[in-house]
Amino acid sequence: MVAFGASGDLVRRKLLPALFHLYRQKLLHKGFVLLGYARTPMSDIEFRNQARDAVRTHLTEEYGIEFDTHAWDDFASGLFYQTGSYDERSSFDALALRVAELDAALPTQSNHLFYLATPPNVFEPITALLADAGLSSPHKTGWTRLIVEKPFGHDLPSAQRLNDHLLHIFQEEQIYRIDHYLGKETVQNILVFRFGNGIFEPIWNRNYVDHVQITVSESLGVGTRGGYYDKSGAIRDMVQNHVMQLVALTAMEPPVSYDAESVRNQKVNVLRSIRPIDPLDVNKWVVRAQYTEGTADGEEIPGYLESEGIPLLSTTETYVAWKLEIDNWRWNGVPFYLRTGKALPTKVTEVNIMFRRPPLMFFNSHAARSPRVRNSLTLRIQPDESIILSFDAKRPGLQLDVEPVSMDFVYNRAFGDSAISDAYERLLLDAMLGDSTLFIRRDETELAWDRVTNVLDGWALQDELIRRRGRALALPQYAAGTWGPPESDELLAHDGHHWHEPVFGGAR
Ligand SMILES: NC(=O)c1ccc[n+]([C@@H]2O[C@H](COP(=O)([O-])OP(=O)(O)OC[C@H]3O[C@@H](n4cnc5c(N)ncnc54)[C@H](OP(=O)(O)O)[C@@H]3O)[C@@H](O)[C@H]2O)c1
């Protein structure tokens, strides 16, 4: 495996710990070699030392696992480093030589996995030079694959350009576009829950489901990464990839079998069925907002516009709520409400399936008194990975009092604390095994960008209109530590709905 950008954060914090953990589970081939590549000058030994510090910190701080020095030394003997630029042919000729040397010295079987762990501005030069140096085609005894990190493009045209470029060099089967959400156990479990059981699928449609909510919230603000974030915003950073993937998995039809083509075909069908928004109509469907000063999850957060690196009149959204319609047989008339943002009260990702109410409400329950309360099924992706079914029950006693209760399945209670492996472990292993089920196909990424770009176009039109009138656009605001602006509540209230507040700690 050759990791470009090996001096960076992703390689240190995610890829190296994941590879070491795979190694500890004896899931890495004995010929596995990681060749780190970046501009920062480093020797193999320095890279190994840096890698050891990163993995040790990660294991002890995040998992409280003791670092096994003996196992590390063995693993680290397969780590190498190559200094080079991302845009010079001579660097890539040197890389090709180094790869050939490692292939000759170690039992790599000439299988080559290239990982683009750099910022996206160098994805194109790196891959062009891989081709020039003869590294993009499979060696006659092995395979060659490419993992591409997010963000994959900035809008539809740039995603199409990047796809055209990559597909000029690689075959689609060689390209593994990553969305690390798909590597999460709980995301994969959406499919097992739906298609591995007989009892849920019959009610998973417009006849029984009133609406669906998807929340992907972060409690942190932009911190010191404001300069980077301001060029992206919530819809590009979270909706185009993670949230759209959750929509696709929640809404897709059963695949004909569990393989990459069948699963991805069904996800693409969902994305294709998402009703495109007319950019002129964007406010009817989508709310954008920015956070102001406040306290989220115990942390004081300065307002977005006052944060380091943010332009004075930035209109980048830190929050987005979207009412999305899926025009297909199963979901017609069932709105999917999506929301994501920074500086929200807590970090949580969940899908809430909100069921229709009974035709008659006999009992004097909270649900009967409040037309907004309904049975729900929550698929909590993170944290406290769990599945929670909420319904009404009779409170014990001689009166017929009815109370909302819940039944829950909590991963770590059922399978133990260490049961959940990191998303990158699953994805790296799958890429090495040649299984692209949990990676994004070209048409998926472009369809998701297509729907998101309609929204971006609508916002750009509004911004332009306001500028022409000589005014500055002020986005709706929400105080850090709250669940978003009033406009987001109004989006649902218009349909007689309200946002489902995440509830932690088991039964209510
Ligand atoms: N970090 C995460 O948790 C995370 C999560 C999801 C996705 N990603 C994605 O993974 C990729 C890498 O993320 P990262 O956080 O590791 O990034 P990073 O630390 O900023 O960059 C990785 C390496 O790329 C090189 N680099 C940095 N800026 C560059 C520039 N403008 N032009 C050329 N090279 C540059 C640097 O190496 P040299 O200067 O030594 O060449 C740096 O060490 C990005 O596409 C990011 O969006 C990261």
Side-chain angles (χ1 to χ4, degrees):
M1 172 170 160
V2 178
F4 294 98
S7 56
D9 181 69
L10 181 76
V11 172
R12 263 199 321 271
R13 282 195 316 112
K14 293 289 179 192
L15 303 191
L16 281 162
L19 288 168
F20 183 51
H21 202 229
L22 286 173
Y23 166 81
R24 295 292 311 275
Q25 296 167 83
K26 302 197 185 332
L27 290 169
L28 281 189
H29 189 270
K30 63 182 179 331
F32 179 81
V33 167
L34 172 68
L35 176 60
Y37 182 105
R39 298 171 302 186
T40 306
M42 247 190 291
S43 66
D44 291 344
I45 301 294
E46 284 167 322
F47 181 57
R48 287 173 193 178
N49 289 343
Q50 200 185 78
R52 186 192 53 226
D53 293 346
V55 173
R56 185 195 300 228
T57 309
H58 176 83
L59 287 181
T60 49
E61 284 183 5
E62 284 194 32
Y63 291 100
I65 300 173
E66 212 176 308
F67 183 70
D68 180 340
T69 313
H70 183 68
W72 174 262
D73 288 346
D74 199 31
F75 171 75
S77 66
L79 303 184
F80 301 90
Y81 187 84
Q82 176 90 5
T83 307
S85 83
Y86 302 121
D87 53 7
E88 279 171 21
R89 174 66 193 263
S90 56
S91 291
F92 280 72
D93 288 340
L95 174 64
L97 269 179
R98 189 83 191 272
V99 168
E101 273 169 29
L102 290 168
D103 280 341
L106 296 157
T108 64
Q109 301 182 350
S110 298
N111 293 328
H112 299 152
L113 179 62
F114 295 104
Y115 197 121
L116 300 181
T118 60
N121 61 316
V122 284
F123 288 176
E124 291 194 22
I126 291 174
T127 43
L129 286 166
L130 277 176
D132 291 349
L135 286 168
S136 59
S137 320
H139 190 272
K140 52 183 175 303
T141 63
W143 46 254
T144 293
R145 298 181 188 136
L146 176 78
I147 299 185
V148 189
E149 258 301 338
K150 77 162 210 181
F152 196 95
H154 190 66
D155 52 16
L156 179 61
S158 59
Q160 283 170 328
R161 268 197 310 276
L162 181 55
N163 271 326
D164 288 344
H165 167 84
L166 293 177
L167 287 160
H168 191 62
I169 297 169
F170 297 93
Q171 304 291 320
E172 175 65 32
E173 300 71 52
Q174 290 178 278
I175 303 172
Y176 290 69
R177 298 173 194 80
I178 248 182
D179 181 332
H180 73 267
Y181 255 57
L182 291 181
K184 290 180 186 288
E185 296 278 0
T186 33
V187 172
Q188 292 160 49
N189 196 42
I190 296 176
L191 294 185
V192 175
F193 183 80
R194 290 190 54 198
F195 305 131
N197 297 295
I199 56 175
F200 305 112
E201 201 47 28
I203 57 168
W204 210 264
N205 56 48
R206 67 179 191 287
N207 297 325
Y208 297 91
V209 177
D210 184 81
H211 67 279
V212 176
Q213 300 188 11
I214 298 182
T215 297
V216 180
S217 69
E218 294 179 286
S219 56
L220 296 177
V222 290
T224 54
R225 306 204 59 181
Y228 158 79
Y229 188 83
D230 198 68
K231 294 191 189 74
S232 164
I235 200 164
R236 289 187 168 99
D237 196 36
M238 302 299 278
V239 177
Q240 187 276 336
N241 38 56
H242 310 323
V243 179
M244 285 294 185
Q245 284 300 317
L246 293 176
V247 171
L249 293 171
T250 305
M252 68 188 257
E253 295 300 315
V256 287
S257 68
Y258 191 71
D259 61 63
E261 281 322 280
S262 311
V263 171
R264 296 191 296 181
N265 285 344
Q266 297 297 26
K267 281 163 60 190
V268 161
N269 284 342
V270 173
L271 296 170
R272 193 172 288 140
S273 311
I274 292 175
R275 188 183 304 166
I277 287 178
D278 178 348
L280 293 172
D281 235 5
V282 65
N283 286 350
K284 189 175 157 205
W285 304 96
V286 190
V287 169
R288 57 175 165 162
Q290 278 172 347
Y291 63 83
T292 56
E293 185 185 351
T295 305
D297 234 358
E299 292 285 317
E300 274 182 37
I301 298 182
Y304 180 69
L305 291 178
E306 289 81 53
S307 301
E308 191 186 320
I310 307 299
L312 203 60
L313 300 176
S314 168
T315 57
T316 300
E317 77 291 353
T318 62
Y319 178 95
V320 58
W322 183 343
K323 175 184 168 183
L324 186 135
E325 299 274 356
I326 300 180
D327 289 329
N328 68 14
W329 197 264
R330 184 188 288 258
W331 295 114
N332 189 267
V334 179
F336 279 57
Y337 301 105
L338 322 175
R339 65 174 168 174
T340 183
K342 287 198 172 288
L344 297 178
T346 189
K347 180 179 166 75
V348 66
T349 299
E350 59 182 42
V351 178
N352 309 111
I353 312 294
M354 311 300 286
F355 291 99
R356 289 186 186 282
R357 288 153 57 87
L360 288 176
M361 303 289 274
F362 298 127
F363 307 110
N364 183 24
S365 65
H366 179 46
R369 290 189 303 273
S370 164
R372 305 193 322 170
V373 175
R374 48 184 80 248
N375 298 148
S376 69
L377 180 81
T378 296
L379 306 173
R380 178 159 306 146
I381 310 298
Q382 64 180 13
D384 298 352
E385 292 80 354
S386 45
I387 295 174
I388 306 157
L389 182 66
S390 304
F391 55 95
D392 275 354
K394 181 186 173 305
R395 173 184 271 284
L398 297 178
Q399 278 161 326
L400 212 140
D401 285 342
V402 177
E403 286 244 339
V405 294
S406 65
M407 286 198 304
D408 53 22
F409 152 73
V410 182
Y411 268 76
N412 63 10
R413 256 193 254 148
F415 297 121
D417 263 343
S418 57
I420 297 192
S421 53
D422 185 77
Y424 278 94
E425 264 176 63
R426 157 97 273 146
L427 297 174
L428 283 167
L429 185 63
D430 282 1
M432 289 185 223
L433 294 171
D435 182 348
S436 50
T437 311
L438 301 177
F439 293 84
I440 314 292
R441 211 166 59 186
R442 174 182 191 151
D443 44 1
E444 270 180 88
T445 195
E446 291 184 6
L447 276 164
W449 267 125
D450 179 74
R451 300 309 190 257
V452 164
T453 303
N454 286 339
V455 176
L456 290 168
D457 287 349
W459 289 345
L461 279 173
Q462 282 175 3
D463 293 3
E464 182 54 29
L465 210 66
I466 300 257
R467 245 193 309 273
R468 274 204 221 145
R469 289 182 191 150
R471 297 214 311 264
L473 176 77
L475 295 194
Q477 296 184 327
Y478 61 103
T482 63
W483 278 112
E487 287 82 348
S488 161
D489 295 332
E490 285 156 20
L491 186 73
L492 273 69
H494 184 262
D495 301 338
H497 298 139
H498 69 296
W499 288 108
H500 180 91
E501 296 276 310
V503 179
F504 292 93
R508 292 154 210 219

